[in-house]
Amino acid sequence: MRKPKVAIMISGTGTNMEALLKAMASGELNAEPAFVGSDKSGAKGLKTAASMGVDTVCFDYSKGKTAAEADIERSVKETGANWIVLAGYMRILSPDLVNKFPGRIINIHPSLLPSFPGAHGIEDAWNYGVKVTGVTVHIVDELVDHGRILAQKPVEITEDDTIDTVEEKIHRVEHEIYKRALKKLFEDNPV
Ligand code: GRF
């Protein structure tokens, strides 16, 4: 079986990206990175990826979303990436781009969707006062934080928690659930 190639897209720290790259390097996730891409040239995760020997690329949105997405599409095609994995990518992909890779773009969101979609899933859940939040891994469709759910895991919010401890718990869960969900997805859909 051929190893699937994965393009990982980030905008920030890239702890999920790092967990996935480590899982690929150890063989726990049978896949290889095609590149790590970002809309932010200063994203910390780009340095982490480079230090792990992974190619990095920056997509320049200052020339417009259409042009930046054309570059994304070109990078994916040129590197032969089979999957696009969003890991804290803070840009909404246009339906046009999503439709070019149907079912091939995956996202992780720090809440139990469909609750608390958007850029502040953890904060919104905390402010609402829910006692259970969690993590969702899903296929990306044309809507925001929407699409077939691949995996979900709840995270309990207790009396002792602060928003920071909730965030830590969410991240710990994310780093486990993402690699497991992708492992199953890649096994079920060989390239
Ligand atoms: C994660 O909470 C992820 O669910 C959300 O963005 C955050 C990225 O964190 N989409 P990191 O850059 O992987 O640390």
Side-chain angles (χ1 to χ4, degrees), residues 6-12 14 17 21 33-41 43 45-46 49-50 54-61 71-72 75-76 79 84-91:
V6 184
I8 303 179
M9 303 287 285
I10 62 164
S11 294
M17 169 213 76
L21 290 178
F35 64 86
V36 170
S38 181
D39 60 322
K40 299 239 178 335
S41 56
L46 286 179
V54 177
D55 288 342
T56 62
V57 50
C58 191
F59 297 110
D60 181 6
Y61 277 73
D71 290 343
I72 295 174
S75 290
V76 169
T79 58
I84 302 172
V85 168
L86 309 182
Y89 194 58
M90 301 309 284
R91 299 270 179 177

Side-chain angles (χ1 to χ4, degrees), residues 10-17 86-90 107-110 122 135 170-171 174-175:
I10 62 164
S11 294
T13 320
T15 62
N16 279 284
M17 169 213 76
L86 309 182
Y89 194 58
M90 301 309 284
N107 185 40
I108 189 161
H109 184 76
I122 299 174
V135 175
I170 295 249
H171 282 316
E174 285 185 326
H175 300 162

Side-chain angles (χ1 to χ4, degrees), residues 130-148:
V130 294
K131 300 300 172 204
V132 180
T133 182
V135 175
T136 303
V137 178
H138 66 98
I139 305 272
V140 172
D141 69 11
E142 294 179 22
L143 303 177
V144 176
D145 294 327
H146 190 270
R148 185 163 69 84

Side-chain angles (χ1 to χ4, degrees), residues 77-132:
K77 290 192 170 149
E78 276 174 10
T79 58
N82 308 104
W83 299 94
I84 302 172
V85 168
L86 309 182
Y89 194 58
M90 301 309 284
R91 299 270 179 177
I92 294 167
L93 303 182
S94 71
D96 224 35
L97 184 66
V98 171
N99 287 329
K100 284 184 176 138
F101 304 101
R104 293 273 162 181
I105 309 177
I106 322 302
N107 185 40
I108 189 161
H109 184 76
S111 76
L112 291 177
L113 291 173
S115 291
F116 310 114
H120 309 287
I122 299 174
E123 202 182 332
D124 291 346
W126 173 261
N127 289 337
Y128 195 96
V130 294
K131 300 300 172 204
V132 180

